[in-house]
Amino acid sequence: MSPDSPPSVKVTTGSGKARWARLGRRLGARVLTGVVMVLAVATLTFFLVHSMPGNPIQTEYQTLIARGVSPSLAAQQVAGMYGFVSSKPLIDQYGQYMWHLLQFNLGKSITASGEPVVHLVLSAAPWTIIPVLSGLIVSFLLGVSLGAVAAVRRTNRLGKVLSVSGSLFHGVPQFVWAVMLAYLFTTLLPIFPFGSPYNILDTPGWNGPFILSLVYSAILPVLAYALSSYGGWLLTMRSSVVTVLGDDFVLAAELRGLRPLTQLRYVARNAFLPLFTTLLLSVGFMFGGSIFIEEVFDYPGLGYQLVNAVNARDYPLMSGDFLFITVAVIAANILADFLYTFIDPRVRKAA
Amino acid sequence: MKRNKVAIAAAAALACCASGLVAPTESASASSAIFTSIDETHPITLGAPMNPYNTKGNSFDSYDQMELGYNQYNGAHPDAMFPALAATWKTVRGGLDVYLQAKADWSDGEPVTSSDVKTSVANSFIVGTQASNLAGVTVLGPKEIRFNEEPGTHNSLFAAQVLETIIVPNSEYGALLPSDIWSVISASEGKGGAAQKAKATLTKLAPTVEDYAPKTDISAGPFYIARLNAGEALLVKNKYFFDASKISPEEVVLRNYTGNEEIWNYMEAGQLDFAPYTSMPSNVLHDVLRAGNKELVAPSFVAVALAFDEARYPYGIAAVRKALAYLLNRPAITKVGEPVSGAPAKWQTGLIDSVSAQWLPSSELSKFNRYNYDPAKATSLLKAVGFTERSGQWHMPNGKAWKITLATPSGFSDWDAAAVYMSHELSAFGIPTSVSTAPDYATYLTNIANGDYATAFWLNALGPAVYNAYARVWGNNVTSKGNELTTKGSFLHTPATFKTDGYGTVALNTLTEGLEDKTTAQARPVVAKLAAAYNQELPMITIWDYVLVEFVTDKHFTDWPSSPGLLNNPPGLWMWNGYVHAK
């Protein structure tokens, strides 16, 4: 049987109970691997961030001096950080960090005078997750749809224009999109806000003005995410559809006189498979990009928090942000792997 | 036709959405009673409490965070203060008596009393921000309190430091303190094991005070925080503020920022009524002014210098440092590095020029070497100490070719630009010079502390107290050691004494340390000695004095202050001093 057989082919996978048991075991193994990976990454990032030169208290003090704050006031401000920079040997700090980690305790922020890192990370997380996922979904839907059109119409002008647009958009890095959008729409033509997740004058809650303001403030960051990955989806989908279009089953479907819509369904399902894995894996890439995009738009998410933590040498907060992003990427991998078994019958059979 | 109708309907819907979407920002900026600004010393931190003791706490000085008084930034009288929650004060034997504003109330309507001050002082001992030599407080009445100075000590800035105490409500913070707190504070000021134990107790209490998160913002300032998100804080007028009638804005919106670029963007988009100082190049200034912003200018108590590690050859030789001063064209460097908010340093005294003029008579200043650009003088100085020039390259007395590396941190665009220009100047003279840029400020500071740089950019001439300026040069540099700031050690490796023309041997470290205890009159002769020693020993070459350039727009408010004292303070203070009125 051809690996690209239409999905109508039945696959014997044993009894329902046994199949679920196998899937459960498979998921359990994946989660266990994921936990080990998280602990390994936590170890690596712990030593990485602590090997960075710099002292958080000295940095904060001198930064305030550089901002023109008088020495006495600067000393007053940094006094709140005393006691939160551990002076224990690094290996002891590591042991304590891992022990706390097992209890879901990420430690206390140095620059925020002992505020729990979990609290700070969770406060910033929604402002990264929502724009990242929105940008991903928008770019994916747009890229996949237009990629299919570009493949089907690859010989005419529309197909060529779409392909060129995909290459062009794919070649521009995320931060360039962000800088360009910020300059165009917040400075040159200031029609979009920046620097805030919503207009502070709108009362938060389930009310029209607040939701509108929330959406309005997220448009530019979401657009930056979407534009930077749209090209990739378009080109991948185009290539995938073109490959599938040449398969025997498509020719057989045509010869059998199946309706174009049915044919398209066959083609799309097969062409979509490689994109699905990439979709979930790209979550990690988008999180990485948040560092640039949030910095440009002064958008208060995890990337923005991470940059500030690195500059201020807030080791626990840095580790917390890295860990959160790591967990998100690993969870996306596990999810991709697990869901793939439902989408691709061959994998389900193997499971 | 049907397709056209669909297209028109879609376009109309899009237009409606767009106009609706634009509405929120329009409504925000259209109201003239909303004052929009940035607190440059305190960006907003999502998740941090509304607590002034927390380093990242969301508490904004002069708006919802109040002190007893505010520094007037008077170079000649560093202890001059503006009244705030303290209406008046008087130095008495053994301390300072402070009289609170009779009408000072918290935003919940309760009066600000001596109990609030006492709790605030206890908190300052716990978090380590109490005034130097402060022994404790004695409540003299509901609105009157005495700050006791440690017997047998004198700190010339005692009143100023006491008045800079942040005042918080006893109703919120009082419950955090153990009942025996004053016994512990008293014990911590002694010596021996009991004092150590008491200090440890205070240290243990610090996180309780610093992490405390009040549910609502109870403010004695002109505003209180109504709500905040990660990018903005909304503060509403406190109707119980003691000078509420002078406060024109009904609301204040403070915006967040991470770097200068965000502030420039806000200004270019006309979104700030007041923008704090930011370093900017000329083209950005042009765009900012074109957008309708105007400048408010005042001296800033900080300068930038090229500092030397005198322990590293050949920078321990005074003639070498002087020769470099003659080789650096300070006006040209300033024009490249800090054209908007920099003024080339005229006198090399260790102080900014305006403070030099206040502390040193012109007859004295005229005797000082100004080190104006003069390569010929540099040549003769170098040759006199054994340097030689061969084939356009200067060689040191030890025979090795002289090469310089100028260290700067990444992100300080003014320093970077200046360093590049200086490297061209020095290379053209025959000293191959390169620029080494540290990846960030934290790394730069660590490298400096480790003695990795022979020549580096360094902020100096801090103020307003002259003690701060000279402490930056001769010992007692504030640095960090482990968990806290410490005042020991200096990467400059300057000598402890220096034979100064006209003054003999000047004890640099001792005189500098003694400055903190002296009155202005007592300090004048000391400053004259230290300034002369700086001019002759030249431990660092001051390149430019920073100038405080702030920006305002007249779109919603007018009546901006012009006095340097007010301009060096945040705008909340301007308001209750009779400035900033809605149009």
Side-chain angles (χ1 to χ4, degrees), chain A residues 54 57-58 85 111 113 200 313, chain B residues 55-56 211 440 443 480 483:
Chain A
I57 293 172
Q58 168 79 337
V85 186
T111 55
S113 304
I200 193 73
R313 297 294 190 271
Chain B
T55 305
K56 296 285 177 194
D211 290 351
D440 62 9
T443 307
S480 56
N483 239 340

Side-chain angles (χ1 to χ4, degrees), chain A residues 72-73, chain B residues 67-74 77-84 86-89 96 156-165 464 565-566 569 573 577:
Chain A
S72 58
L73 281 180
Chain B
E67 297 167 12
L68 291 169
Y70 283 83
N71 203 303
Q72 289 193 13
Y73 290 90
N74 183 331
H77 299 285
D79 55 346
M81 302 291 286
F82 288 112
T88 56
W89 52 90
L96 184 82
S156 63
L157 296 176
F158 182 73
Q161 289 177 1
V162 158
L163 292 168
E164 282 181 341
T165 305
L566 284 173
N569 274 294
L573 182 73
N577 278 278

Side-chain angles (χ1 to χ4, degrees), chain A residues 52-55 57-73 75-87 108 110-115 119-120 123-124 127 186-187 190-191 193-204 209 212-213 216 219 295-296 298 300 304-305 308 310-311 313, chain B residues 20-22 24-25 27-28 34 40-43 45-49 53-56 67 73 127-129 164-166 207 210-211 227-234 251 253 255-258 262 265-266 268-269 271 277 302 412 440-443 445-447 458-459 462-464 468 472 478-485:
Chain A
M52 291 172 78
N55 177 294
I57 293 172
Q58 168 79 337
T59 304
E60 183 72 15
Y61 174 80
Q62 297 292 355
T63 302
L64 289 168
I65 294 290
R67 285 178 183 162
V69 177
S70 72
S72 58
L73 281 180
Q76 202 172 67
Q77 279 205 27
V78 300
M81 291 162 66
Y82 291 178
F84 298 111
V85 186
S86 179
S87 49
K108 292 182 169 186
I110 296 168
T111 55
S113 304
E115 200 61 27
H119 176 56
L120 293 173
S123 299
W127 306 113
T186 66
T187 306
I191 55 171
F194 70 104
S196 181
Y198 56 86
N199 188 341
I200 193 73
L201 298 177
D202 294 318
T203 312
L212 199 64
S213 163
Y216 187 46
I219 284 178
E295 180 76 0
V296 170
D298 213 5
Y304 178 88
Q305 188 178 67
N308 286 338
V310 169
N311 287 336
R313 297 294 190 271
Chain B
L21 287 171
V22 173
T25 44
S27 63
I34 300 172
E40 80 276 24
T41 63
H42 222 114
T45 303
L46 191 63
Y53 300 113
N54 190 298
T55 305
K56 296 285 177 194
E67 297 167 12
Y73 290 90
V127 299
T129 58
E164 282 181 341
T165 305
I166 296 166
E210 289 157 358
D211 290 351
R227 60 176 171 268
L228 48 85
N229 64 36
E232 291 173 307
L234 174 67
E251 291 174 320
V253 171
R255 310 194 74 171
N256 201 14
Y257 82 106
T258 45
E262 281 97 22
N265 285 348
Y266 286 137
E268 287 173 23
Q271 293 179 359
Y277 161 78
V302 61
F412 283 54
D440 62 9
Y441 199 36
T443 307
L445 294 169
T446 303
N447 292 347
W458 189 239
L459 294 168
L462 306 183
N468 292 327
R472 194 81 171 167
V478 175
T479 180
S480 56
K481 196 169 184 178
N483 239 340
E484 301 187 356
L485 288 175

Side-chain angles (χ1 to χ4, degrees), chain A residues 49 52 106-112 115-129 225 287-325, chain B residues 43-48 56 58 230 256-258 262:
Chain A
V49 300
M52 291 172 78
L106 299 180
K108 292 182 169 186
S109 160
I110 296 168
T111 55
E115 200 61 27
V117 167
V118 170
H119 176 56
L120 293 173
V121 171
L122 291 180
S123 299
W127 306 113
T128 293
I129 293 171
Y225 286 118
F287 267 109
S290 70
I291 289 171
F292 301 108
I293 290 176
E294 289 172 8
E295 180 76 0
V296 170
F297 293 109
D298 213 5
Y299 202 75
L302 287 170
Y304 178 88
Q305 188 178 67
L306 182 58
V307 170
N308 286 338
V310 169
N311 287 336
R313 297 294 190 271
D314 192 336
Y315 307 117
L317 190 54
M318 269 192 265
S319 301
D321 284 331
F322 278 130
L323 197 68
F324 189 91
I325 293 171
Chain B
I44 297 162
T45 303
L46 191 63
K56 296 285 177 194
N58 293 308
N256 201 14
Y257 82 106
T258 45
E262 281 97 22

Side-chain angles (χ1 to χ4, degrees), chain B residues 25 133 177 357 369 395 433 454 459 493 532:
Chain B
T25 44
N133 305 348
L177 304 176
N369 190 341
H395 289 78
T433 304
L459 294 168
H493 297 109

